[in-house]
Amino acid sequence: MTMELTGEQLKMTETQLKRYLPRSQQVYGFLVLRNRVRSDSVRVLVDRWPEFNVIVCKPQYEQKDDCFKDTLVFAKDEAILEETIRKSSVIDWTQYLCLGINLRHLEIFKAVASEKDVSSSKLAVCHMMILEDVSNLPSIDSSWISLSSLDESHVGLVNQMWKFGKNEGAARMIRNMIANFPSCCVLDAEGKPVSWILTYASCAMGLLYTLPEHRGKSYAKVLASTMAKRLHAQGYPVYCFIEEENDVSYGLFKSLGFIEDPSYREAWIGFNDFLPQEDAL
């Protein structure tokens, strides 16, 4: 029987998840932010309490393009995970949804989806890179750069440049990130952002982007380093996800002292035609 966590239970769970880092990093990071910042409504479900085996962070889907609200899952026991995700009260398999999971659990989700005649598409497989000690960050001179935070007026620009963006669902996600979580950007002489980095609801740094005409100026390195220090100063974990094929970003974060567990990968899967059919698994 699953139950929803509230209040003090969420704070206790945050503490318990520390024992399972780095495997629990994404759900741990989500709870760190959730317990300190109010943003989109998300239900946190467990298979039992207080000794849970499975946690599902389940956002409220109100319309089809809300699929950018990720459902996050952490599991200690794969048999209980399979049993838990079969329940419609936990995962509504009739909906479009995007799941962020340990790559090792991918076959379980594909099998349950197939059993329920639900299409699935693999959106990304990522390295998880963690900065364990902020003092490892190299010294970077940013005195010549105008740094600021993003605001509501920048949502359209960020949405336009994100590879999964250019739609209203992504714009709502980005608006929520800018309004509630840390962000950092480089401004040009007219005060317009030319490079930026945001924080996902899971506390992971992401959406790092520099306009093509402004590349080669070390803006990404300055932003990643500045954001890492800011997150650390606020007591947040400092980590990010890098897609396996993104060698440039992998090299950048490696040069800043971020490390990964080579045995761990995070996967994002879409269900019920999250992507066009040609991208299906």
Side-chain angles (χ1 to χ4, degrees), residues 24 29 38 42 60-61 64 72 76 91 120 141 163 174 181 191 202 243 260 270:
S24 62
R38 285 285 161 229
V42 176
Q60 303 298 306
Y61 293 106
K64 179 152 188 172
L72 305 179
K76 295 188 281 181
I91 302 286
S120 61
D141 177 21
K163 75 173 190 175
I174 292 164
F181 312 136
S202 62
E243 289 184 73
E260 67 161 331

Side-chain angles (χ1 to χ4, degrees), residues 139-160:
S139 179
I140 300 171
D141 177 21
S142 60
S143 58
W144 55 282
I145 297 175
S146 176
L147 292 174
S148 184
S149 295
L150 293 166
D151 63 40
E152 169 82 21
S153 69
H154 304 138
V155 171
L157 175 64
V158 176
N159 184 30
Q160 189 65 28

Side-chain angles (χ1 to χ4, degrees), residues 25 129-132 134 203 205 227-229 231-232 236-240 258:
Q25 185 74 60
M129 306 194 71
I130 300 169
L131 186 66
E132 293 182 332
V134 175
C203 211
M205 298 191 290
M227 181 67 96
K229 290 174 186 171
L231 290 168
H232 175 73
Y236 297 151
V238 181
Y239 76 109
C240 63
F258 284 70

Side-chain angles (χ1 to χ4, degrees), residues 17-29 74 264:
L17 283 170
K18 278 187 170 182
R19 301 204 305 258
Y20 305 103
L21 293 171
R23 287 185 302 124
S24 62
Q25 185 74 60
Q26 187 162 218
V27 172
Y28 169 70
F74 168 71
Y264 184 88

Side-chain angles (χ1 to χ4, degrees), residues 99 163 197:
L99 281 161
K163 75 173 190 175
I197 190 168

Side-chain angles (χ1 to χ4, degrees), residues 8-220:
E8 285 304 312
Q9 293 170 333
L10 290 169
K11 292 175 184 173
M12 287 173 63
T13 303
E14 176 190 324
T15 302
Q16 286 173 281
L17 283 170
K18 278 187 170 182
R19 301 204 305 258
Y20 305 103
L21 293 171
R23 287 185 302 124
S24 62
Q25 185 74 60
Q26 187 162 218
V27 172
Y28 169 70
F30 170 79
L31 285 180
V32 168
L33 274 184
R34 165 70 185 265
N35 288 333
R36 292 158 182 78
V37 180
R38 285 285 161 229
S39 60
D40 281 350
S41 176
V42 176
R43 298 176 66 209
V44 180
L45 307 173
V46 292
D47 64 310
R48 62 179 187 171
W49 176 260
E51 291 301 319
F52 57 83
N53 294 292
V54 176
I55 302 180
V56 178
C57 302
K58 183 179 178 182
Q60 303 298 306
Y61 293 106
E62 287 151 18
Q63 43 200 312
K64 179 152 188 172
D65 51 16
D66 273 346
C67 51
F68 285 97
K69 296 177 179 179
D70 295 348
T71 297
L72 305 179
V73 178
F74 168 71
K76 295 188 281 181
D77 184 304
E78 290 201 327
I80 296 173
L81 171 64
E82 186 170 352
E83 178 189 327
T84 302
I85 64 172
R86 276 202 171 93
K87 298 174 183 172
S88 60
S89 60
V90 177
I91 302 286
D92 182 354
W93 291 97
T94 66
Q95 277 188 321
Y96 37 83
L97 71 156
C98 177
L99 281 161
I101 60 169
N102 184 332
L103 181 60
R104 289 181 177 177
H105 302 327
L106 179 61
E107 294 308 315
I108 291 173
F109 281 89
K110 282 172 62 178
V112 174
S114 175
E115 187 182 289
K116 295 178 179 292
D117 200 25
V118 169
S119 63
S120 61
S121 39
K122 188 160 59 181
L123 308 178
V125 176
C126 298
H127 304 278
M128 183 171 68
M129 306 194 71
I130 300 169
L131 186 66
E132 293 182 332
D133 186 349
V134 175
S135 66
N136 287 340
L137 285 168
S139 179
I140 300 171
D141 177 21
S142 60
S143 58
W144 55 282
I145 297 175
S146 176
L147 292 174
S148 184
S149 295
L150 293 166
D151 63 40
E152 169 82 21
S153 69
H154 304 138
V155 171
L157 175 64
V158 176
N159 184 30
Q160 189 65 28
M161 297 304 167
W162 189 40
K163 75 173 190 175
F164 293 114
K166 304 180 183 66
N167 60 76
E168 188 49 42
R172 277 201 302 278
M173 183 196 81
I174 292 164
R175 188 173 291 111
N176 179 58
M177 291 165 73
I178 289 175
N180 296 299
F181 312 136
S183 67
C184 192
C185 64
V186 175
L187 302 176
D188 66 10
E190 277 123 39
K192 295 177 182 170
V194 297
S195 185
W196 52 81
I197 190 168
L198 288 79
T199 306
Y200 285 106
S202 62
C203 211
M205 298 191 290
L207 273 69
L208 176 61
Y209 186 85
T210 302
L211 295 175
E213 61 272 27
H214 291 275
R215 291 175 187 170
K217 301 175 184 178
S218 297
Y219 287 165

